Amino acid sequence: INHDFLMGWDYQWYRTRTTRVASASVATTPIDLYDPVETHVTRTEFPPSRQDYTTNFTNGFYLQDHMTLTNTLKAVVGVRLDNVRRYQHNNPVVNGIETDVAQVRRVSKKPTERVGLVYQPRTNVDVYGQFATAFQPNFNLQPDGTPLEPTFGTSYEIGNRVRLNQDRVIINTAIFNITKRNVAFSRPGGFFEQVGKVRSRGFEADVNARVSPALQLVLGYGYTDAVYANYITSLAPPTNFSGNHPPRVPPHTLSAQAIYNWNNTLSVMAGTQFRDKQFLNDQNTLSLDSFQLANVAATYYRGPMQFNFTISNLTDAFYYSSIRGNTQFYPGEPRRYQATLRWNFK
């Protein structure tokens, strides 16, 4: 058995200061989600009400062993120990005068593991399986000062890679199961909800085919079944969302891309992305219809010059790219044109 050991220490240190202001809002007319017309009244007077200071120290020690068991079987085993310290104090500001308060020290530590196997029954076939755990500290506080529990996760994945026609066609497939506990979501009023358990199961497949020396095709498909396995809200009255689907997780996704290259002088790309219908809130009462985005691009090379022209969202489709909480929705980019000129000086 051949061993390839990797050992290391990861150290991070950073400080932040954030200026807070007291709640300041103006009653506005609600905006229609599907026909948005801006009605917000802009305000400019926001005197500071608090200064937040944080200092983070992260120490991560890790060890990994990559083993060659036989000519067709390889394994990897790894472990990492994270120790995160956070010092925080929030100084109130009254009439422009800042008052120092005592620092609060919080420590979060947890080991994580990773185990994987790769089996090669033939030179052009790889079969793999892996298990891993994850850890992420939550240093936000509830309005009453209660700290949040760290987020933990586990993942299982099995898959394979097949290379055909002298690697001109590569097919990847994978089945996965990911579970996260104590996932934190921000709510109005500075409050945080922590979901007891979120589970995602699914399948992914992609094909990368070199059809000819000039033409390349890339196809991808993904299926995800994400649910709240254990989620009872702590706000009164408590609501049981267990069995509901988390927002912004489409069950089906599909992508396709074609790239054609003429004598390394002109390259043309056309691609499309499809996103299935998805829920926009925890109650699963509001949903966004499926949508499709198309992009095209062309790149021209001549000596040291490279010119690129891209059109994103070619059909000017309307969609929401992200959400915050259950009330703030951010539309995606409309049709966008971009031209870039690069010159290589040697």
Side-chain angles (χ1 to χ4, degrees):
I1 299 177
N2 292 326
H3 297 268
D4 186 2
F5 288 101
L6 175 66
M7 302 175 62
W9 170 49
D10 175 26
Y11 176 76
Q12 299 180 42
W13 169 81
Y14 64 89
R15 304 173 65 181
T16 65
R17 186 185 76 172
T18 305
T19 301
R20 305 288 185 181
V21 298
S23 298
S25 61
V26 176
T28 60
T29 303
I31 298 177
D32 188 290
L33 182 63
Y34 297 99
D35 185 22
V37 177
E38 183 60 72
T39 60
H40 184 67
V41 178
T42 302
R43 294 190 60 174
T44 58
E45 68 282 7
F46 296 105
S49 61
R50 198 178 75 190
Q51 296 286 351
D52 295 354
Y53 299 88
T54 61
T55 303
N56 274 32
F57 298 92
T58 300
N59 285 279
F61 301 90
Y62 55 89
L63 171 64
Q64 177 179 284
D65 183 12
H66 184 276
M67 295 170 282
T68 302
L69 306 176
T70 68
N71 291 334
T72 60
L73 184 63
K74 297 178 176 63
V76 62
V77 177
V79 62
R80 177 185 173 103
L81 175 62
D82 282 292
N83 187 328
V84 184
R85 291 173 295 149
R86 182 181 179 96
Y87 299 86
Q88 181 177 6
H89 61 288
N90 302 333
N91 295 342
V93 178
V94 180
N95 296 326
I97 300 176
E98 180 179 344
T99 303
D100 286 330
V101 299
Q103 278 190 344
V104 177
R105 178 180 181 268
R106 298 200 300 277
V107 179
S108 191
K109 61 178 69 176
K110 176 72 175 178
T112 53
E113 306 83 21
R114 178 190 177 205
V115 179
L117 282 172
V118 177
Y119 175 57
Q120 297 175 296
R122 301 181 61 179
T123 57
N124 64 331
V125 177
D126 301 332
V127 181
Y128 73 89
Q130 70 170 3
F131 165 78
T133 61
F135 158 74
Q136 181 178 2
N138 286 321
F139 286 121
N140 292 302
L141 298 175
Q142 301 287 20
D144 61 0
T146 303
L148 301 182
E149 295 294 329
T151 298
F152 302 102
T154 58
S155 67
Y156 302 85
E157 182 178 338
I158 58 175
N160 75 308
R161 169 175 291 181
V162 179
R163 298 175 294 277
L164 304 174
N165 197 16
Q166 298 181 342
D167 290 352
R168 291 187 179 91
V169 178
I170 299 177
I171 304 173
N172 299 304
T173 60
I175 300 174
F176 61 87
N177 185 320
I178 302 173
T179 302
K180 291 184 179 181
R181 292 175 172 84
N182 300 329
V183 180
F185 292 100
S186 177
R187 295 293 183 254
F191 183 80
F192 291 89
E193 283 276 13
Q194 285 203 276
V195 179
K197 184 178 179 181
V198 183
R199 188 192 67 232
S200 298
R201 294 172 177 170
F203 167 80
E204 293 180 347
D206 64 78
V207 179
N208 191 323
R210 178 73 64 177
V211 180
S212 70
L215 178 62
Q216 180 181 3
L217 299 178
V218 181
L219 303 175
Y221 168 77
Y223 169 75
T224 303
D225 178 24
V227 297
Y228 290 130
N230 179 15
Y231 182 16
I232 300 177
T233 65
S234 55
L235 295 175
T239 304
N240 189 354
F241 289 141
S242 301
N244 285 10
H245 299 279
R248 297 293 298 166
V249 183
H252 301 276
T253 59
L254 181 67
S255 63
Q257 186 180 71
I259 304 172
Y260 196 89
N261 194 317
W262 278 279
N263 299 322
N264 294 322
T265 301
L266 178 63
S267 177
V268 178
M269 184 279 295
T272 182
Q273 300 176 1
F274 169 79
R275 296 292 181 269
D276 199 5
K277 179 179 178 179
Q278 54 197 279
F279 291 108
L280 297 177
N281 60 355
D282 295 330
Q283 296 86 345
N284 289 180
T285 57
L286 183 64
S287 62
L288 175 65
D289 291 337
S290 61
F291 63 89
Q292 185 173 353
L293 301 178
N295 307 298
V296 295
T299 304
Y300 177 69
Y301 305 88
R302 186 174 181 86
M305 185 269 292
Q306 175 183 332
F307 177 74
N308 176 266
F309 182 71
T310 302
I311 305 177
S312 303
N313 193 1
L314 179 66
T315 60
D316 201 25
F318 179 80
Y319 66 101
Y320 287 98
S321 60
S322 62
I323 65 173
R324 182 180 180 184
N326 288 328
T327 57
Q328 298 184 27
F329 301 86
Y330 298 89
E333 279 193 331
R335 183 188 297 115
R336 178 169 61 92
Y337 305 90
Q338 179 177 338
T340 305
L341 178 64
R342 292 184 175 91
W343 196 278
N344 186 15
F345 295 93
K346 295 183 179 180

